Amino acid sequence: INQNKRMELLKEKESLEIELNDLLPLQDEKLISNKEISDLLSINEILIEYKRVIPAQIGPNPINQKDYYIAFILNSKGDINVVNLGDAELLDNEIYQSLLLTQSSPNKEEELASWNNVRKLVLDPINKELNNIDTWFISPDSELHLIPFTSLETFENDKILEKEIQMRLVTTGRDILNLSKQTQLSTTKSLVVSNPNFDMKNNLFNIAKSSFTSKNVTRQTRSSNLTLNNWDSLKDTKIEGQTIANMINANHLTGKK
């Protein structure tokens, strides 16, 4: 679809989201303070939360103001900086253009240059807040979800950000609380299954195969053919399975056991 139609659909989507949000019951969720999140950030970590702002159209003569994006930056000290990224439509169009080039252009340099224009709009304005920070928690909003943040180039245009920065995409800053919770590890040993014997008699595999009928007994030609009654052994997968089991100290199931 063309740009105008895309923007029209986006406006319609946003309007529906507002209507649906008004219909949702109030959630009795605990409010999370900025300090609760900043206390969980180390000195080299930062939260970048993007928001698309839709100006309220209130009164008989509402101001015809365009949507715009802002970035909230929270560091480990609890400092909050808010940066206005400007016209949302302009940024959205840059994203759509970059996606189009990614899908259609054989010229990788042209594609990368287009995404660099996006980076200049979403990251360059907050560059000074990111000095000496090597872990970014990024919470996109609206069309910013379409940006491949890890594939963007650094500010010096010489390296991919993923090679220099550890990025964690989160839905909201609240997610950092969940990430910080210690997960109780199970003491149950892992199990690796490779090259099992699907043709054992008097077992559950035969019961499962009985649901597939075929006039002739055929040999395996492709894994997606569910009419087969026999499966060839894949001996190399047994070796692979044993190797993986050894690496992660897991039990190994293969063949008839």
Side-chain angles (χ1 to χ4, degrees):
I1 60 176
N2 59 40
Q3 296 283 5
N4 291 334
K5 184 61 176 179
R6 186 185 295 273
M7 295 307 301
E8 180 182 336
L9 291 173
L10 180 60
K11 291 289 186 182
E12 183 179 351
K13 178 178 77 74
E14 291 171 348
S15 177
L16 290 173
E17 287 175 347
I18 294 174
E19 290 181 26
L20 288 173
N21 187 63
D22 291 338
L23 295 174
L24 291 175
L26 294 177
Q27 299 293 323
D28 187 20
E29 292 185 352
K30 176 188 175 184
L31 294 178
I32 304 299
S33 68
N34 297 326
K35 187 177 186 305
E36 288 181 86
I37 297 176
S38 63
D39 284 348
L40 297 173
L41 298 174
S42 66
I43 193 171
N44 63 330
E45 295 179 334
I46 202 165
L47 168 66
I48 309 167
E49 188 155 352
Y50 293 100
K51 290 296 178 186
R52 184 190 185 104
V53 179
I54 305 174
Q57 304 298 322
I58 303 174
N61 299 305
I63 300 175
N64 186 22
Q65 186 178 356
K66 293 184 177 181
D67 295 4
Y68 59 95
Y69 284 108
I70 56 176
F72 295 92
I73 304 100
L74 175 68
N75 62 24
S76 60
K77 298 178 181 178
D79 300 328
I80 301 176
N81 289 288
V82 182
V83 179
N84 190 328
L85 302 179
D87 188 353
E89 184 176 349
L90 173 63
L91 181 46
D92 289 346
N93 286 336
E94 286 289 346
I95 294 173
Y96 299 147
Q97 180 64 28
S98 298
L99 286 173
L100 181 62
L101 287 174
T102 299
Q103 296 169 358
S104 61
S105 176
N107 189 330
K108 292 299 180 182
E109 292 185 0
E110 182 183 20
E111 175 189 337
L112 191 56
S114 182
W115 282 115
N116 278 340
N117 289 335
V118 174
R119 186 216 66 204
K120 292 175 182 177
L121 294 173
V122 297
L123 290 177
D124 285 21
I126 61 175
N127 185 15
K128 66 178 183 178
E129 309 294 339
L130 306 177
N131 289 334
N132 301 318
I133 304 294
D134 58 23
T135 301
W136 302 353
F137 290 92
I138 299 180
S139 173
D141 189 28
S142 191
E143 303 307 282
L144 302 191
H145 283 99
L146 301 174
I147 300 175
F149 283 95
T150 56
S151 299
L152 301 180
E153 284 192 338
T154 59
F155 300 106
E156 292 77 20
N157 293 348
D158 59 348
K159 296 178 182 178
I160 299 299
L161 276 174
E162 185 180 32
K163 303 293 184 180
E164 301 293 311
I165 302 296
Q166 182 178 357
M167 292 192 186
R168 305 286 297 273
L169 291 180
V170 294
T171 305
T172 66
R174 180 190 293 265
D175 290 349
I176 296 178
L177 294 175
N178 297 328
L179 292 173
S180 69
K181 293 179 180 177
Q182 294 294 327
T183 302
Q184 184 176 1
L185 297 178
S186 173
T187 57
T188 305
K189 205 169 185 179
S190 300
L191 175 66
V192 176
V193 181
S194 66
N195 194 32
N197 186 344
F198 288 103
D199 297 313
M200 291 174 60
K201 295 181 179 180
N202 302 320
N203 59 32
L204 292 177
F205 290 116
N206 273 350
I207 296 175
K209 290 194 299 177
S210 66
S211 62
F212 304 113
T213 58
S214 176
K215 293 182 179 180
N216 300 313
V217 176
T218 58
R219 302 301 293 173
Q220 181 180 11
T221 56
R222 57 185 179 133
S223 60
S224 61
N225 189 347
L226 299 180
T227 64
L228 297 172
N229 286 333
N230 294 85
W231 284 266
D232 288 338
S233 175
L234 302 174
K235 297 180 179 179
D236 288 340
T237 64
K238 176 181 178 179
I239 300 174
E240 293 175 357
Q242 186 61 62
T243 301
I244 294 172
N246 292 339
M247 292 174 62
I248 65 174
N249 190 29
N251 292 321
H252 183 212
L253 188 153
T254 185
K256 298 181 181 180
K257 60 180 181 178

